[in-house]
Amino acid sequence: MGNAFFEEYRAFENELVERFNLHPFFVSFGSLPNEAVMAALLQLGFISLEFVRWYERAKLGMTSEEAKELIRCILRDEIPSRLPTHQDDRLADLLAMGAAKERVLNEPASERTVQTVRTLYELVRYPQESYDLRVLVYLRIFGEILVAETYGHVVRSMGERFGLQPECSRFYEPHYRHDDKDEGGHSVKFERELEKLITDEHMLALAKSASEAAFTDRYKFYDQFVE
């Protein structure tokens, strides 16, 4: 018999994904002007720039060596040896989509974006009860699953909108694939560790609470694009 507590948690995650895609920004995504989409991508860039620092900070508080190694593997993907970093790839995609390099590098972060980043570090503060569980959930929801959902919208329209075909994308399409929970990428790697931890009602409740907190921070980020 499988881990029923973990399966219930996975079902809760699926509900969060459905709620996420019902945000007005995504509901209206297909009809948004290209400039509105580009403005959102530039604000998302500030969160992307925090990825390595945030994951490193989260890892330092963990006690499980397996959980730490999971984070290390993801960070090695982010900054591969002798290859462009993911930030190099992000810039390449944005330039290919018609953004000016000067704008990409000098666009100011909005107040909501700054608050979103600040909350990220509040989520991984140390200590807190069941740190490894909570933080793995934060990273999986905010840093992997909901990223894939966002980039899915971008990838499906980037060719028509900006002339960049998905197969030519160096950042958005690859991240969509390796962060998606159904594609066997980073999100799935988290499952192996979470299944070991979510083994009773209490841990299930903690995991749901953590996932809701991560969801809320990511969800509110998009409010700025529909206000």
Side-chain angles (χ1 to χ4, degrees):
M1 182 178 177
N3 182 341
F5 297 106
F6 178 68
E7 291 306 317
E8 183 175 342
Y9 170 72
R10 280 193 50 132
F12 184 75
E13 277 190 344
N14 291 336
E15 293 174 9
L16 291 181
V17 168
E18 291 179 9
R19 287 166 54 193
F20 184 72
N21 283 300
L22 289 175
H23 190 286
F25 176 72
F26 296 117
V27 171
S28 62
F29 193 88
S31 61
L32 290 174
N34 291 352
E35 169 55 28
V37 174
M38 179 59 69
L41 292 179
L42 294 180
Q43 290 302 313
L44 277 168
F46 290 100
I47 298 175
S48 183
L49 285 168
E50 294 292 327
F51 185 92
V52 170
R53 182 181 173 212
W54 186 46
Y55 270 53
E56 281 283 12
R57 173 63 185 83
K59 173 175 62 67
L60 294 177
M62 293 178 175
T63 57
S64 164
E65 189 57 35
E66 290 82 1
K68 290 180 182 179
E69 185 57 25
L70 163 62
I71 304 307
R72 293 185 193 113
C73 287
I74 293 174
L75 290 174
R76 292 182 195 116
D77 287 345
E78 190 77 12
I79 308 179
S81 176
R82 298 190 177 92
L83 290 172
T85 69
H86 285 189
Q87 292 309 309
D88 293 326
D89 291 336
R90 183 176 67 87
L91 176 60
D93 269 13
L94 289 170
L95 297 182
M97 293 160 74
K101 186 173 183 179
E102 181 178 3
R103 181 183 181 189
V104 175
L105 298 183
N106 295 314
E107 187 90 350
S110 69
E111 183 178 345
R112 166 52 64 185
T113 299
V114 171
Q115 179 58 50
T116 299
V117 171
R118 183 181 300 121
T119 302
L120 287 182
Y121 291 97
E122 293 172 0
L123 289 175
V124 299
R125 70 191 182 282
Y126 182 89
Q128 53 184 300
E129 181 186 1
S130 301
Y131 182 92
D132 286 12
L133 170 63
R134 287 182 182 273
V135 170
L136 285 172
V137 168
Y138 296 144
L139 301 186
R140 174 172 157 86
I141 296 293
F142 190 102
E144 309 291 340
I145 291 176
L146 298 185
V147 171
E149 293 301 314
T150 298
Y151 291 166
H153 291 278
V154 176
V155 167
R156 286 188 288 271
S157 67
M158 66 195 311
E160 181 178 353
R161 282 184 179 278
F162 302 110
L164 177 61
Q165 298 306 317
E167 61 269 21
C168 298
S169 168
R170 290 171 45 181
F171 180 81
Y172 295 105
E173 198 279 337
H175 274 69
Y176 165 57
R177 282 186 291 103
H178 75 53
D179 290 344
D180 187 85
K181 66 185 299 184
D182 298 320
E183 290 291 330
H186 290 169
S187 297
V188 174
K189 294 178 181 178
F190 280 89
E191 291 188 2
R192 302 186 190 115
E193 296 305 313
L194 290 176
E195 190 168 10
K196 299 175 188 175
L197 296 170
I198 304 173
T199 56
D200 58 39
E201 291 285 357
H202 179 64
M203 298 301 275
L204 173 61
L206 288 178
K208 286 183 176 181
S209 174
S211 63
E212 188 77 47
F215 165 86
T216 299
D217 194 32
R218 177 70 81 167
Y219 188 90
K220 286 183 175 180
F221 169 81
Y222 294 95
D223 290 348
Q224 64 184 304
F225 307 120
V226 295
E227 292 172 346

